[in-house]
Amino acid sequence: MISLYHATLLLPPTAAVIAAPLFGPTVTPRLGSFDLARRDNTSMVSTQDTQDFVFDPSYPQHEIHKILQKYKYAADLIHNPNLPDPLSGLDISDDLSDALNGAYNGQVTSGNSGSKNSLVPLTDSISGNLDVLYYGPLELGSAGQELTFDFDTGSADLWVRIFLDLPNKTEVVFDFQVPVNCQNCHRSGYNAAASKSYKSSQTPFLVTYGSGSVSGTLAQDRVAAGSLFVDDQYFGAVDNESQSFQSGPNDGLIGMAFSSIASSGKATFVENLLAAKKLAAPIFSVHLARRQVQGSAVCLGCYDSSKAIGPVSWVPVVSKTYWAVSMPQVFVNSNPITLARPLTAAIDTGTTLIYVPKDIASALYNAIPGAKEANQYGDGFYTYPCDIPLNISLQLGSNSYALDLRDFNLGRTASGSSDCVGGILALGDGFPSDLAIVGDEFLKSWYSVYDYSHGARVGFAKSVNNS
């Protein structure tokens, strides 16, 4: 009898929900790097100052609701000492000296002389003056069908829209009963019938976000990113999605956080690569371009110093749930603001802006002369004088990291207005009082490295975007 597991995103899991990693044969470690692109439209935005844009509140208003749902249980998860360690039993070396040493001219280094370098040109499509969401290709199944996925360090589930090219929707494929077509999906998605290695578990799969939900069946198949692959990777085969997921060109989402928060209860793609010793180094790194058609990348097992300036500074994670680090202080014009409490910051490539509790946002904007609440856009928004000298830095661990005003400034309140909208938004009821979400607004200035060794940590080096 099959036990049914009804998964809902970020509900506090029990110790039993984490699946054992899939161990494969020892192979020569490889490096994988793959394209990223942006959702919404493909228009190119010039490098003019963001002050020249008029603020459009539609996407930030949408993202606020998404964040409230996505991180609803985050405090319980981060501070839960009883969650199993998703890296327990994995042989992970702490020696990153080769992987972080000497890359230049776009060549990716690795920790193993037999590793294969792979660096793929990237694409960035944007909406207005906002970089909204990154996505890129993975290959699924024995036929290697290429599909596009959002890459999200703020979640841990992998899912894809399913499509079966069969006249009879109840037909058994390769001895496995497969789910029906995604009847309301905006595009075809994954053709499971073309893969001889596809397996459906018949276990229901459901992920709920603030912007909607996707549901279907937990399945297994080969998943590959460049030369890196996992056989029998668990993922959600989605046959139903809410309307909010139907506007983008991506076919699914790959969560890059720790499996301790996975709705599926299964090991992530990266954790399975680690278990099979296929990564040259126990890291992945992210470069996010700023309003450029090309330039963004995720490297699995690698670090590309052509995208970074100077050394990497490291911040330990506070728990192996999100890529969450301590955020004890915020600085405005080099002056610390008074925080009611230290914060934990989730480093989230799947979030566009930066979000903090309402009292923290109030203290931050009170330190900016002329700043005020902007209730015309709804709760959480603030404006400040566009032309005021301003420097804002976040302290993560013991290191301080500056924001670039091109990303903090979301645009003028109206054409010719002297007031601009700030990119740090406030969240009130329903949002954890000690949590900050640090999204792409920050990461475009800092090349980020997600390290599974040294007890797990996040590294930052200044991005070439700011050179």
Side-chain angles (χ1 to χ4, degrees):
M1 181 177 179
I2 298 175
S3 174
L4 299 183
Y5 176 80
H6 189 78
T8 302
L9 183 68
L10 301 188
L11 288 177
T14 66
V17 303
I18 305 303
L22 303 175
F23 289 89
T26 301
V27 298
T28 301
R30 293 180 172 86
L31 297 179
S33 178
F34 43 91
D35 285 347
L36 295 178
R38 282 287 195 179
R39 175 147 68 180
D40 284 332
N41 62 60
T42 57
S43 61
M44 177 69 177
V45 173
S46 71
T47 56
Q48 69 189 72
D49 193 313
T50 53
Q51 289 186 20
D52 296 332
F53 288 95
V54 173
F55 174 61
D56 179 358
S58 55
Y59 183 78
Q61 289 169 343
H62 165 81
E63 187 169 72
I64 283 176
H65 295 290
K66 170 186 170 184
I67 293 298
L68 285 172
Q69 182 64 39
K70 184 176 182 179
Y71 288 96
K72 184 177 182 179
Y73 299 101
D76 293 335
L77 293 168
I78 290 171
H79 300 300
N80 184 351
N82 297 318
L83 286 179
D85 184 348
L87 306 184
S88 177
L90 299 185
D91 181 16
I92 299 176
S93 172
D94 283 346
D95 184 7
L96 299 183
S97 57
D98 289 337
L100 300 178
N101 223 2
Y104 61 95
N105 294 330
Q107 299 300 308
V108 181
T109 61
S110 74
N112 186 300
S113 60
S115 298
K116 181 178 179 181
N117 290 347
S118 176
L119 192 65
V120 182
L122 306 176
T123 304
D124 181 4
S125 61
I126 62 181
S127 179
N129 67 323
L130 285 179
D131 296 309
V132 176
L133 185 66
Y134 292 89
Y135 67 92
L138 296 174
E139 291 185 355
L140 267 67
S142 60
Q145 182 183 352
E146 184 174 287
L147 299 160
T148 56
F149 292 77
D150 296 347
F151 289 88
D152 181 15
T153 59
S155 67
D157 284 285
L158 172 61
W159 60 262
V160 65
R161 298 177 183 92
I162 196 79
F163 173 77
L164 303 176
D165 191 14
L166 299 171
N168 182 351
K169 301 298 190 298
T170 62
E171 186 169 340
V172 174
V173 180
F174 305 119
D175 297 326
F176 292 95
Q177 183 72 39
V178 292
V180 297
N181 289 357
C182 189
Q183 300 289 349
N184 66 335
C185 292
H186 75 292
R187 57 192 297 164
S188 295
Y190 178 43
N191 184 2
S195 175
K196 296 182 179 181
S197 51
Y198 179 83
K199 304 173 186 177
S200 176
S201 69
Q202 299 302 296
T203 301
F205 176 83
L206 171 66
V207 178
T208 301
Y209 302 91
S211 55
S213 64
V214 295
S215 61
T217 304
L218 197 62
Q220 290 176 275
D221 210 338
R222 180 186 175 104
V223 175
S227 59
L228 294 166
F229 67 90
V230 173
D231 290 324
D232 294 328
Q233 172 67 46
Y234 277 99
F235 62 92
V238 168
D239 57 29
N240 187 67
E241 62 179 4
S242 57
Q243 185 175 2
S244 59
F245 287 95
Q246 298 175 24
S247 61
N250 55 297
D251 301 294
L253 180 146
I254 178 168
M256 307 288 281
F258 296 91
S259 60
S260 54
I261 64 169
S263 300
S264 65
K266 303 300 182 181
T268 68
F269 178 66
V270 177
E271 288 169 5
N272 283 327
L273 290 173
L274 286 168
K277 296 187 178 298
K278 292 184 178 181
L279 293 179
I283 63 173
F284 67 90
S285 55
V286 180
H287 171 67
L288 303 184
R290 176 186 293 117
R291 295 189 295 280
Q292 295 181 15
V293 172
Q294 298 184 3
S296 302
V298 170
C299 271
L300 297 173
C302 56
Y303 169 85
D304 181 11
S305 67
S306 73
K307 303 298 184 185
I309 303 170
V312 177
S313 59
W314 295 102
V315 187
V317 301
V318 298
S319 73
K320 295 171 189 171
T321 50
Y322 307 91
W323 290 98
V325 299
S326 66
M327 181 172 155
Q329 192 54 264
V330 178
F331 296 89
V332 175
N333 292 333
S334 302
N335 298 313
I337 67 171
T338 301
L339 299 184
R341 71 202 72 82
L343 300 177
T344 296
I347 310 303
D348 186 354
T349 59
T351 292
T352 300
L353 302 175
I354 297 173
Y355 297 86
V356 298
K358 188 169 184 177
D359 63 322
I360 304 298
S362 178
L364 185 153
Y365 284 101
N366 283 341
I368 302 175
K372 55 185 180 292
E373 290 189 60
N375 294 323
Q376 65 268 35
Y377 304 120
D379 291 339
F381 292 89
Y382 291 80
T383 63
Y384 68 97
C386 299
D387 298 327
I388 192 172
L390 183 61
N391 180 285
I392 298 175
S393 297
L394 309 181
Q395 183 179 333
L396 303 177
S398 59
N399 305 304
S400 183
Y401 304 92
L403 300 182
D404 191 298
L405 290 186
R406 289 173 292 180
D407 304 314
F408 175 76
N409 184 346
L410 302 185
R412 296 180 184 271
T413 56
S415 180
S417 171
S418 61
D419 286 331
C420 288
V421 179
I424 296 180
L425 274 58
L427 294 177
D429 293 342
F431 186 72
S433 63
D434 61 350
L435 183 65
I437 311 303
V438 177
D440 303 342
E441 174 185 342
F442 172 86
L443 294 170
K444 284 178 283 187
S445 292
W446 298 94
Y447 185 90
S448 54
V449 185
Y450 303 82
D451 180 16
Y452 292 85
S453 71
H454 296 83
R457 57 185 184 170
V458 184
F460 301 101
K462 188 173 294 185
S463 172
V464 294
N465 291 342
N466 292 6
S467 60

